[in-house]
């Protein structure tokens, strides 16, 4: 099952206080869906049509990709958990 924007938004806002999560997919037509995470720092979650998830900081520096390790492709839950840990460690 592919991760939905609502699931990602609910997970992040439940784990991290003081953030706002917005759907900005219309600004990125090359991606299926895009979430903007606003807190002390800014982050983006990019969802592709191939069920690949990318997490970057506000300058679009890639922080995490769910398939960056071919031996262990991160599940949706693992991906969001790691993204939340990155945000918490940098906030």
């Amino acid at each position: 099952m592919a991760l939905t924007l609502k699931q990602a938004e609910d997970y992040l806002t439940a784990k991290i206080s003081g953030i706002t999560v917005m759907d900005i997919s219309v600004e990125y037509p090359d991606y299926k869906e895009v979430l903007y995470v606003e807190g002390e720092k800014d982050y983006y979650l990019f969802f592709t049509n191939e069920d690949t998830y990318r997490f970057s900081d506000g300058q679009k520096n890639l922080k995490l990709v769910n398939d960056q390790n071919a031996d262990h492709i991160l599940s949706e839950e693992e991906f969001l958990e790691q993204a939340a840990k990155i945000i918490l460690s940098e906030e």
Side-chain angles (χ1 to χ4, degrees), residues 64-75 78-79 82:
L64 180 64
V65 179
N66 72 316
D67 62 357
Q68 65 192 21
N69 181 349
D71 294 334
H72 179 69
I73 296 175
L74 298 175
S75 69
E78 291 171 320
F79 176 80
Q82 288 192 21

Side-chain angles (χ1 to χ4, degrees), residues 7-35:
Q7 289 170 321
E9 179 182 354
D10 289 348
Y11 182 88
L12 291 173
T13 55
K15 291 282 185 182
I16 306 165
S17 63
I19 63 167
T20 302
V21 180
M22 296 175 272
D23 178 1
I24 59 167
S25 301
V26 70
E27 297 177 29
Y28 295 89
D30 293 339
Y31 291 94
K32 184 169 104 178
E33 298 170 319
V34 180
L35 283 178

Side-chain angles (χ1 to χ4, degrees), residues 46-88:
F46 297 95
F47 303 82
T48 70
N49 289 322
E50 297 81 34
D51 291 331
T52 299
Y53 313 119
R54 301 186 187 306
F55 176 71
S56 70
D57 63 18
Q59 285 73 49
K60 310 284 190 319
N61 297 314
L62 198 58
K63 299 272 189 183
L64 180 64
V65 179
N66 72 316
D67 62 357
Q68 65 192 21
N69 181 349
D71 294 334
H72 179 69
I73 296 175
L74 298 175
S75 69
E76 291 112 349
E77 294 81 13
E78 291 171 320
F79 176 80
L80 285 176
E81 182 180 330
Q82 288 192 21
K85 285 180 182 178
I86 292 169
I87 294 170
L88 288 169

